[in-house]
């Protein structure tokens, strides 16, 4: 069984909050990590019980509202994580992809692409590269174009050694076209 995070791991001790603005940044970042890693809805920050909990940690500090987190903090956190992942992908030689096309309850079509690799510390790593709303039909050409866009954005086109898909004809054909184009280079094992 994997490690389960506890609240104490995400919230800093009260004494940390008195040492300047960087500690305030830590204070704001830890609960967001708790929310994200626990897969809680962002609306929890507006819940009176959550607000009361944060006030118990330090009554002097308030926690930002959902809009502030969404528009001020998440873009910076995303960019930080994106740059970190690009740096890690630069250091690996081989990447496998998994893809999944799916439709939401609202009947919107999406494509999710996940990269799988072994990092320099010999640890297996899986990272979702992108979930994109497919406004066009799930044709092989549209899927191929979207896959190229995603792998090019992450700089891994020539590192791909395999792609795992479901058994639908359109995604299988898209991957076959990519392989025939020579844009994804086969690597010896």
């Amino acid at each position: 069984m994997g490690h389960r995070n506890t609240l104490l791991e995400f919230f800093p001790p009260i004494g940390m909050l008195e040492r300047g603005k960087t500690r305030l940044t830590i204070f704001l970042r830890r609960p967001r990590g708790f929310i994200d890693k626990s897969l809680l809805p962002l609306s929890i920050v507006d819940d009176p019980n959550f607000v009361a909990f944060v006030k118990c940690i330090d009554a002097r500090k308030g926690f930002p509202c959902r809009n502030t987190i969404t528009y001020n903090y998440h873009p910076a956190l995303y960019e930080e994580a994106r740059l970190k992942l690009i740096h890690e992908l630069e250091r690996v030689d081989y990447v496998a992809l998994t893809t999944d096309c799916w439709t939401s309850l609202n009947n919107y079509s999406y494509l999710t692409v996940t990269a799988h690799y072994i990092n320099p510390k010999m640890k297996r790593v899986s990272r979702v590269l992108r979930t994109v709303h497919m406004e066009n039909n799930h044709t092989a050409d549209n899927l191929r174009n979207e896959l190229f866009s995603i792998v090019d954005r992450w700089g891994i086109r020539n590192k791909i050694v395999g792609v795992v898909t479901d058994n639908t004809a359109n995604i299988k054909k898209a991957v076959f076209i990519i392989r025939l184009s020579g844009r994804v280079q086969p690597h010896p094992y």
Side-chain angles (χ1 to χ4, degrees):
M1 180 176 237
H3 173 74
R4 302 240 351 145
N5 295 315
T6 65
L7 285 174
L8 295 176
E9 291 178 52
F10 292 103
F11 293 94
I14 291 174
M16 292 178 68
L17 304 176
E18 299 171 3
R19 297 188 207 133
K21 191 169 186 167
T22 50
R23 296 302 179 192
L24 178 60
T25 302
I26 291 170
F27 175 74
L28 294 174
R29 186 175 285 214
R30 294 263 177 94
R32 284 198 321 269
F34 169 69
I35 292 166
D36 294 344
K37 290 182 180 184
S38 300
L39 299 176
L40 296 170
L42 195 52
S43 61
I44 194 171
V45 300
D46 296 329
D47 184 277
N49 294 313
F50 183 81
V51 172
F53 176 71
V54 171
K55 289 287 185 189
C56 285
I57 295 171
D58 189 342
R60 299 170 296 169
K61 305 293 182 203
F63 197 75
C65 70
R66 179 177 23 172
N67 285 338
T68 301
I69 293 171
T70 300
Y71 297 109
N72 295 349
Y73 296 116
H74 271 186
L77 286 175
Y78 171 79
E79 186 61 17
E80 181 183 317
R82 188 183 73 81
L83 292 174
K84 182 178 174 183
L85 180 55
I86 285 174
H87 179 68
E88 186 157 324
L89 287 170
E90 287 171 350
R91 297 178 13 216
V92 299
D93 294 325
Y94 307 110
V95 176
L97 301 178
T98 53
T99 66
D100 188 27
C101 294
W102 52 282
T103 304
S104 71
L105 294 175
N106 299 358
N107 213 28
Y108 294 114
S109 297
Y110 294 92
L111 168 68
T112 298
V113 178
T114 305
H116 308 272
Y117 55 94
I118 297 175
N119 71 12
K121 294 179 181 178
M122 299 304 291
K123 180 180 177 188
R124 287 179 300 174
V125 180
S126 296
R127 298 285 185 253
V128 173
L129 299 180
R130 184 149 194 213
T131 296
V132 60
H133 175 233
M134 295 287 295
E135 295 184 24
N136 299 322
N137 293 332
H138 286 183
T139 65
D141 287 335
N142 290 338
L143 291 168
R144 178 203 63 212
N145 293 338
E146 197 59 54
L147 284 169
F148 275 145
S149 172
I150 292 168
V151 298
D152 287 345
R153 181 172 188 228
W154 294 98
I156 59 171
R157 183 183 287 201
N158 293 324
K159 296 180 178 195
I160 299 170
V161 294
V163 182
V164 177
T165 70
D166 57 18
N167 206 25
T168 58
N170 52 358
I171 191 68
K172 286 170 48 178
K173 184 176 179 184
V175 171
F176 183 74
I177 292 169
I178 290 170
R179 206 178 87 220
L180 283 181
S181 72
R183 291 180 158 174
V184 174
Q185 300 300 319
H187 293 279
Y189 293 103

